[in-house]
Amino acid sequence: MDTQHVTVTVNGEAREADVEPRLLLVHLLRDVFGLTGTHIGCDTSNCGACTVHIDGESAKSCTLLALQVDGRRIKTIEGMASGADLHPLQQGFWDQHGLQCGFCTPGMIMQAAWMLERNPQPSEEEIREGISGNLCRCTGYVNIVKAIQQAAGMLSEADTAKAEAAAQVQG
Amino acid sequence: MAVEMEVPTQTTPEVGGMGHSVKRKEDPRFIRGAGRYIDDVVLPGMLWLDIVRSPYAHATIKGIDASAALKIPGVLAVITGADLEKAGLHWMPTLANDKQMVLPTDTVMYQSQEVAAVVATDRYTAADGVAAVVVDYEPLPVIVDPFKAMEAGAQVLRPDREDRPNNHIWHWESGDRDATDRALESAAVRVSQRMHIPRIHVASIETCGCIADWDAIRGQMTLHMTSQAPHAIRTVLALVSGLPEHNIRVKTYDIGGGFGGKVPVYPGYVLAVVASLTVGKPVKWIEDRSENLQADSFARDYHIHAEMGATADGRITSLKVRTLADHGYTDAAADPSKFPAGLFNVITGSYDFPDAFVEVDGVYTNKPPGGVAYRCSFRVTEAVHAIERMVDILAHQIGKDPAQLRMENFIQPEQFPYKTPTGWEYDSGDYGKALKLAMEMIGYDDLRREQAEKRERGQLMGIGISSFTEIVGAGPSHQFDILGLKMFDSCEIRVHPTGKVLARIGVQTQGQGHETTFAQIIAEELGFPVADIKIEYGDTDTAPYGLGTYASRSTPVAGAATAMASRKIREKARHLAAHLLEANPDDLEWTNGKFSVKGSPDRSKTIQEIAFAAYTNHPQGMEAGLEAVDYYDPPNLTFPFGSYICVVDIERSTGEIKIRRFVAVDDCGNIINPMIVNGQIHGGLTMGLAPALYEQITYDENGNNLAGTFMDYLLPTAVETPAWELGKTITPSPHHPIGAKGVGESATVGAPPAIANAVVDALWHLGVRNIDIPITPPKVWAILQEKGVAT
Amino acid sequence: MQFSGKVDIKAPREKVFAFVTDPQQVGQCGPGVESIEVIDETHFKARAKVGVGFIRAKFVMDMELVEAVAPERAVIRARGQAPGSAVDATGTMTLSQGADAGATVMDWQADLTISGTIASLGGRMIEGTANKLIGQAFDCIRSRLEG
């Protein structure tokens, strides 16, 4: 089958490939780029295991074609930590036992990150709504909610600290 | 509100033995997306296998034309039943000693059954090949209803089973039929009820798959796969394929949920093996979600008729249960050999009464094989649902509070060990204590008052209780085997010279956190910090033989083996310490990870010092090293229990059921890691909510599966799932080395009847006795319409 | 699944009968038909593309005119497959004299069995879709005969 060229930025790194037009984004990430942290759970956009960010928006990569993201910025679970420093959501999931088998976890973290960017202090109900497109079969969601709450707290403390530091510099 | 209970600990948090909420050792890889699941594994030269599936639920195959598929560039082979027949591989044994087709040679038996396999260079080309294979079918009449399958003159679905003249697979019974009949006849009160526990699917978020890798030069078959029972798979593969067992290696990776669905051997695995043997390269097969939901083994599908007798004031005297078990076209249940209906005869539950009789008949239909667990130990969920519904029906019938009726019928603490009328010996329990705690936590009496007031105003509110007893930890070898393999389990521990530990276990983890909890058992027994202990599993070349993880057997069986292996090491360590301290071994005492001389605590050796000495300074006549292995054959099963209370409000205009509160009090004996135990209960409760209100695999009259995607098979999301409230009591198992009972499935078993009882409780005064699960809004709405209370 | 209906056609019975028993003509009105290949007087093959919900499938249909009693009755049987899906159908058309001269009343019944992926994944949309497609087919027959 004929191929087409696709160029994307994945976790800050420029990547390109020649792909069949029918190749799904999730297969581009997993099979072509070897980023296997993004998982496939249902093929119908119901489970959210394949959730990534495209230009900062949460998206389910199992129902997008690779060609649809040509020229765009993609962030996957592999891009969440900075070296040894975990993202507050990763820390929250670990501290609060927000995962068991771990299969839904990358998608859950990516979705939660997008949600917290829009709503930094969500209520429990808003958290539950916010992750309702991501299915978890192991945890019953209780500790996922707690993990996201912990991360929201950590992010807000970090913001406060940053603001105070900035104020001191100005002062 | 959760009641945090103090779990006793003997070790410091740094050591992290039993009772500590140690953060999981496996999580750092998962939260970074660095877990390694089967579809993440890529081997050099790897090919892809995809499967042609039948559109018909029952049809004759008149021909298969693969010519167009083979013309597609990249399609390398098409495998049919005729090809397999030449090697005698077209049928394989099921775990229940029936036969299952790998590929059919003449007849397909269910919609989406495997018909042919296409091997190609990549997954897209393999799918192209599948679409190009033309199969000529002649449709046959379809039997979907198990009652019709049992009718005289019904078409015989399995003519290959010459021992079976009709669709009846087996009859199994337990208890005393005559005594139960007599007790029922003389009972002052009799209640009876039909119930269907429908087909459901475990639907782990990771589907099943494998890579078969045949190395012709070395004569080695490596099967990388998603399996809850790798050793059993290796032995089955050796028996089926004729390959020598030492040249077969089954290796698992991180597993994205199991719940029973990754116990069986599916045709896809065998096809990948055959394909790799044929083409001499690694061959990967990963099923998609629709294949998973349509063709993998199912759970439940029990049609139950129960009858219960009692005295006029509600003392239960007898229970008689008849059940028709729909197994699909073959009995592929993952039950122990002697138990074709699993442990369904634990159906007398938490109650003390003398007479019970249970009979189950297995039947073939044109559906995929059924009978695996859905996060439960061998048919316990079906049993618990039936008894807990019956107890509630009895209570309502005689006008007694369901909590009170349970309290009056519970087996009392002093009656343990307790022999049930169907032959089980419960190890320990205090059922009244658990129910009392649940009632306190939820404010039971206030809720009953509120319910009465609301009923006056026409509002529908219900309170449901489930006081379940589980039976887990299979099992003692005199009763329990699968295909002849006794259901022991194992642990091998090696202590390295520098005091670091490698332990390998015969069970598998699918998210339960074995890498952490099994390390905690060793930390408890030997005093090594959890951080210094590595747990390995899932590689049959290195792990000791074990029957795998399902039926909540990891902690009861392999957990016991781990404690026993640790104790063997501790005994050797005592002799090493005696040598180092120049003392008599009997004069040493073990505390906090060291041996010290009785009466002179400053004369001591830590376990780390002893480990070093095992390799550098062992006494003459003693073997060097510090290792042990234990194969644990449990003396009995364990019997976790609990009491759950659910409060629902029913919306009269829509039939929607809102779970306002759900309190779960569990008793799983001694607790290894409270955080993980709570996590298991949260998940189990959600997999109890799911079949109670949402999940069901239904078929149309032609045998088409109508729940083939997550758009139609409804897993609960975070929105439907309530904020579970947990409580605990602790009643150790007297026969288990660390007093633990197992917990992974209790909540899945206990939750559905609590929810169903709550809904019926809200509607009983309207004349509603039972609603089969899943209790969906349309079902409730139809009832509200019929009773004239819909708004 | 069974469907039935009645269509008033402003054309004489003989003309209607000739139309519904001619593969080339009646075939053009089959749902999603892309091509017709006539094998003999009573057998033909149709290729059709049908969509149910989000699923689209290309079917190859073997059609047979199993009964033809001029000018009042015709029965067509069809069996077709698409990857993972199958359709078995029987369509019966009974033609009677309409109220006006030169008009025909066609009573039709369709018995339809859908199997496999489309039945499974199309789920509850199938009956509605099938009803719509069959209705369109008979409307097509009417409009071609009247036009």
Side-chain angles (χ1 to χ4, degrees):
Chain A
M1 194 174 277
D2 291 341
T3 59
Q4 292 188 32
H5 196 70
V6 59
T7 308
V8 288
T9 307
V10 184
N11 300 327
E13 198 181 321
R15 306 289 291 260
E16 54 189 309
D18 291 315
V19 303
E20 287 186 23
R22 63 179 175 174
L23 187 79
L24 295 171
L25 173 57
V26 71
H27 288 140
L28 175 74
L29 295 171
R30 290 176 50 82
D31 296 351
V32 182
F33 296 155
L35 294 168
T36 55
T38 303
H39 298 147
I40 303 171
C42 73
D43 320 309
T44 51
S45 308
N46 291 81
C47 82
C50 64
T51 306
V52 299
H53 295 177
I54 300 171
D55 289 340
E57 296 286 331
S58 163
K60 290 176 175 171
S61 61
C62 77
T63 32
L64 279 166
L65 296 168
L67 293 182
Q68 288 176 284
V69 299
D70 189 29
R72 301 172 74 176
R73 275 183 304 114
I74 296 168
K75 190 169 191 177
T76 69
I77 186 69
E78 288 91 345
M80 290 299 277
S82 321
D85 294 335
L86 294 174
H87 185 279
L89 275 162
Q90 293 172 315
Q91 191 66 47
F93 272 71
W94 190 12
D95 290 348
Q96 299 296 334
H97 188 31
L99 65 148
Q100 290 177 27
C101 81
F103 200 77
C104 76
T105 311
M108 204 61 94
I109 287 176
M110 298 311 287
Q111 176 63 17
W114 179 75
M115 175 180 67
L116 289 181
E117 271 173 31
R118 264 142 204 80
N119 182 2
Q121 295 299 325
S123 66
E124 174 168 347
E125 204 182 336
E126 287 169 335
I127 292 175
R128 285 177 177 272
E129 282 286 344
I131 58 168
S132 63
N134 292 63
L135 297 172
C136 171
R137 201 59 160 160
C138 298
T139 65
Y141 305 104
V142 177
N143 291 343
I144 291 178
V145 171
K146 284 190 201 162
I148 296 170
Q149 286 168 333
Q150 175 181 321
M154 288 169 72
L155 285 164
S156 122
E157 273 174 35
D159 281 352
T160 311
K162 235 187 260 171
E164 279 170 6
Q168 271 185 353
V169 170
Q170 281 175 356
Chain B
M1 170 210 67
V3 172
E4 291 300 333
M5 99 164 279
E6 274 300 302
V7 176
T9 54
Q10 312 258 354
T11 56
T12 61
E14 291 69 38
V15 171
M18 284 184 59
H20 290 289
S21 287
V22 177
K23 276 169 63 179
R24 295 205 323 170
K25 290 162 71 81
E26 39 274 87
D27 287 358
R29 64 178 186 267
F30 292 135
I31 54 180
R32 289 171 173 270
R36 197 155 185 244
Y37 302 87
I38 187 66
D39 197 17
D40 303 340
V41 179
V42 177
L43 300 179
M46 189 176 80
L47 303 173
W48 274 84
L49 181 138
D50 202 350
I51 294 175
V52 179
R53 293 178 182 273
S54 170
Y56 291 104
H58 199 195
T60 304
I61 296 175
K62 294 196 290 185
I64 299 176
D65 180 2
S67 57
L70 288 166
K71 282 187 196 131
I72 297 172
V75 170
L76 304 175
V78 176
I79 301 168
T80 66
D83 300 326
L84 296 184
E85 192 175 17
K86 288 173 206 150
L89 287 173
H90 54 312
W91 289 91
M92 64 178 179
T94 69
L95 294 177
N97 243 331
D98 200 336
K99 294 190 303 174
Q100 180 169 4
M101 290 179 228
V102 178
L103 290 177
T105 50
D106 48 21
T107 310
V108 288
M109 296 295 286
Y110 66 91
Q111 183 248 314
S112 83
Q113 185 182 339
E114 300 81 358
V115 173
V118 174
V119 183
T121 47
D122 66 285
R123 64 175 104 207
Y124 286 71
T125 307
D128 288 342
V130 164
V133 173
V134 179
V135 185
D136 190 6
Y137 299 97
E138 183 62 41
L140 295 167
V142 176
I143 305 181
V144 176
D145 179 346
F147 291 95
K148 290 204 172 129
M150 287 288 277
E151 281 172 6
Q155 183 184 10
V156 178
L157 295 177
R158 289 284 303 277
D160 62 289
R161 284 207 64 173
E162 286 162 5
D163 55 329
R164 290 280 143 208
N166 49 36
N167 297 319
H168 183 209
I169 316 174
W170 41 256
H171 173 84
W172 178 77
E173 58 182 54
S174 172
D176 187 332
R177 183 196 296 263
D178 295 339
T180 304
D181 281 341
R182 282 194 301 274
L184 277 171
E185 272 157 30
S186 62
V189 184
R190 285 169 80 163
V191 290
S192 66
Q193 186 60 51
R194 282 186 192 287
M195 300 168 224
H196 180 219
I197 317 282
R199 250 177 198 238
I200 51 175
H201 197 289
V202 299
S204 51
I205 307 296
E206 180 201 37
T207 60
C208 295
C210 69
I211 305 168
D213 184 9
W214 169 242
D215 182 333
I217 294 167
R218 291 172 183 80
Q220 169 84 28
M221 172 62 74
T222 307
L223 184 57
H224 311 260
M225 70 185 301
T226 51
S227 175
Q228 298 176 230
H231 278 102
I233 298 278
R234 185 187 71 191
T235 301
V236 170
L237 188 55
L239 295 172
V240 171
S241 69
L243 292 168
E245 194 168 357
H246 68 292
N247 286 346
I248 302 173
R249 179 183 183 194
V250 176
K251 186 165 164 28
T252 64
Y253 293 79
D254 290 322
I255 292 186
F259 314 116
K262 288 170 182 166
V263 174
V265 179
Y266 293 120
Y269 298 137
V270 181
L271 289 170
V273 167
V274 171
S276 185
L277 285 166
T278 308
V279 299
K281 288 189 170 169
V283 175
K284 183 188 261 192
W285 166 68
I286 304 287
E287 63 183 8
D288 67 26
R289 175 57 59 192
S290 290
E291 293 177 294
N292 173 264
L293 285 171
Q294 293 182 95
D296 285 4
S297 286
F298 289 81
R300 318 263 166 96
D301 219 349
Y302 262 33
H303 297 263
I304 298 172
H305 178 268
E307 193 172 13
M308 184 182 263
T311 61
D313 62 349
R315 191 83 177 91
I316 303 168
T317 56
S318 48
L319 176 71
K320 187 176 180 181
V321 180
R322 278 200 321 273
T323 292
L324 195 59
D326 185 343
H327 278 260
Y329 96 88
T330 182
D331 186 3
D335 286 328
S337 302
K338 295 186 184 70
F339 300 89
L343 313 181
F344 187 61
N345 60 342
V346 74
I347 196 161
T348 55
S350 307
Y351 310 100
D352 177 26
F353 58 93
D355 294 306
F357 178 72
V358 188
E359 56 185 334
V360 184
D361 290 281
V363 58
Y364 290 130
T365 57
N366 286 118
K367 294 179 199 160
V372 300
Y374 172 104
R375 196 171 182 157
C376 79
S377 174
F378 316 120
R379 304 290 188 185
V380 179
T381 317
E382 290 92 322
V384 165
H385 197 79
I387 182 73
E388 288 304 307
R389 285 291 301 119
M390 290 307 288
V391 167
D392 244 52
I393 290 170
L394 174 66
H396 281 96
Q397 181 111 337
I398 65 170
K400 189 169 254 188
D401 184 280
Q404 183 62 28
L405 186 121
R406 283 180 168 81
M407 286 291 190
E408 290 170 6
N409 282 284
F410 277 150
I411 300 160
Q412 295 302 307
E414 63 277 10
Q415 289 176 277
F416 291 92
Y418 174 87
K419 271 213 161 38
T420 75
T422 54
W424 299 111
E425 186 178 292
Y426 291 0
D427 55 351
S428 63
D430 190 342
Y431 303 150
K433 188 175 169 187
L435 178 54
K436 195 159 166 284
L437 175 58
M439 290 168 73
E440 284 167 15
M441 283 174 64
I442 207 157
Y444 186 78
D445 295 338
D446 289 345
L447 286 168
R448 283 289 176 204
R449 274 191 290 276
E450 181 193 340
Q451 182 188 29
E453 287 162 18
K454 286 200 163 151
R455 194 164 290 169
E456 290 289 314
R457 298 201 296 272
Q459 289 169 294
L460 300 173
M461 165 187 169
I463 304 158
I465 302 173
S466 164
S467 292
F468 64 93
T469 292
E470 259 202 304
I471 173 169
V472 307
S477 61
H478 64 281
Q479 282 176 302
F480 288 92
D481 69 270
I482 287 183
L483 289 178
L485 300 166
K486 301 292 190 185
M487 295 182 74
F488 58 82
D489 227 291
S490 59
C491 175
E492 177 201 288
I493 302 174
R494 295 181 189 177
V495 182
H496 302 322
T498 53
K500 311 296 174 189
V501 181
L502 171 65
R504 290 171 168 146
I505 51 181
V507 289
Q508 171 67 36
T509 182
Q510 296 99 232
Q512 295 92 337
H514 289 6
E515 291 172 40
T516 308
T517 52
F518 279 72
Q520 288 186 261
I521 295 172
I522 295 170
E524 177 77 11
E525 295 289 336
L526 291 174
F528 293 108
V530 162
D532 291 350
I533 303 166
K534 179 158 90 176
I535 303 291
E536 285 187 355
Y537 48 83
D539 183 341
T540 58
D541 267 10
T542 56
Y545 206 101
L547 269 284
T549 292
Y550 41 87
S552 288
R553 62 187 300 281
S554 285
T555 298
V557 193
T562 304
M564 298 310 277
S566 301
R567 288 173 194 180
K568 288 177 186 174
I569 285 179
R570 199 164 72 201
E571 199 43 39
K572 183 168 182 186
R574 173 190 295 275
H575 288 271
L576 279 160
H579 164 67
L580 296 175
L581 294 165
E582 295 175 349
N584 187 317
D586 296 336
D587 291 339
L588 300 182
E589 60 184 359
W590 170 257
T591 44
N592 300 328
K594 52 188 167 190
F595 276 110
S596 50
V597 179
K598 284 177 193 161
S600 12
D602 49 332
R603 282 185 65 204
S604 67
K605 288 289 171 192
T606 66
I607 188 70
Q608 286 82 1
E609 290 169 319
I610 296 167
F612 194 66
Y615 296 87
T616 59
N617 180 22
H618 61 289
Q620 288 298 311
M622 183 190 280
E623 269 185 58
L626 195 54
E627 301 186 4
V629 58
D630 189 81
Y631 285 77
Y632 189 78
D633 182 359
N636 190 7
L637 295 127
T638 60
F639 297 83
F641 61 92
S643 270
Y644 295 170
I645 305 182
C646 173
V647 185
V648 300
D649 298 297
I650 297 176
E651 175 58 50
R652 281 170 55 192
S653 59
T654 60
E656 187 192 355
I657 297 155
K658 289 184 182 145
I659 296 182
R660 191 201 309 175
R661 288 185 67 193
F662 194 111
V663 163
V665 173
D666 275 275
D667 191 323
C668 58
N670 287 339
I671 289 173
I672 301 168
N673 182 321
M675 175 192 82
I676 286 179
V677 163
N678 284 346
Q680 291 291 305
I681 294 168
H682 289 150
L685 288 167
T686 309
M687 284 185 83
L689 165 73
L693 297 186
Y694 306 108
E695 292 175 13
Q696 180 177 9
I697 299 282
T698 49
Y699 295 85
D700 67 13
E701 71 276 14
N702 300 312
N704 293 302
N705 177 324
L706 297 181
T709 69
F710 280 166
M711 289 180 287
D712 291 307
Y713 190 72
L714 304 177
L715 274 59
T717 75
V719 170
E720 292 85 47
T721 307
W724 309 109
E725 303 171 49
L726 310 188
K728 302 275 180 313
T729 62
I730 294 179
T731 312
S733 170
H735 66 74
H736 189 277
I738 56 172
K741 288 188 170 188
V743 73
E745 303 167 333
S746 294
T748 308
V749 171
I755 297 167
N757 285 345
V759 175
V760 175
D761 183 62
L763 303 171
W764 181 275
H765 64 289
L766 302 172
V768 176
R769 291 174 61 89
N770 182 60
I771 308 172
D772 278 338
I773 55 171
I775 307 179
T776 58
K779 277 190 197 173
V780 175
W781 191 77
I783 290 167
L784 299 177
Q785 288 284 318
E786 182 200 320
K787 304 294 180 190
V789 296
T791 56
Chain C
M1 279 178 287
Q2 283 177 335
F3 306 91
S4 59
K6 187 182 280 215
V7 191
D8 291 312
I9 304 171
K10 289 187 199 112
R13 271 212 291 180
E14 288 71 18
K15 192 176 164 195
V16 176
F17 184 82
F19 185 96
V20 300
T21 52
D22 178 355
Q24 284 295 4
Q25 299 225 53
V26 75
Q28 302 297 328
C29 284
V33 167
E34 294 180 332
S35 70
I36 299 281
E37 180 191 339
V38 177
I39 292 159
D40 60 34
E41 262 180 26
T42 54
H43 291 85
F44 59 106
K45 224 182 232 308
R47 288 173 198 279
K49 197 172 177 180
V50 182
V52 180
F54 66 100
I55 310 161
R56 254 165 233 289
K58 276 189 178 175
F59 278 89
V60 180
M61 305 287 294
D62 289 312
M63 318 283 284
E64 185 186 2
L65 182 63
V66 288
E67 206 182 315
V69 184
E72 56 203 34
R73 187 176 148 83
V75 179
I76 296 175
R77 195 154 62 206
R79 172 174 295 168
Q81 275 194 49
S85 301
V87 174
D88 292 85
T90 308
T92 305
M93 290 159 280
T94 311
L95 309 179
S96 52
Q97 181 64 51
D100 303 327
T104 304
V105 177
M106 178 163 73
D107 286 288
W108 59 265
Q109 283 147 11
D111 195 338
L112 183 66
T113 304
I114 298 176
S115 308
T117 307
I118 287 210
S120 179
L121 309 193
R124 51 188 77 94
M125 283 182 284
I126 276 207
E127 192 148 350
T129 305
N131 202 5
K132 192 182 84 185
L133 293 177
I134 292 169
Q136 281 171 356
F138 288 103
D139 282 346
C140 164
I141 292 173
R142 184 178 52 81
S143 65
R144 285 186 183 237
L145 279 160
E146 291 178 355

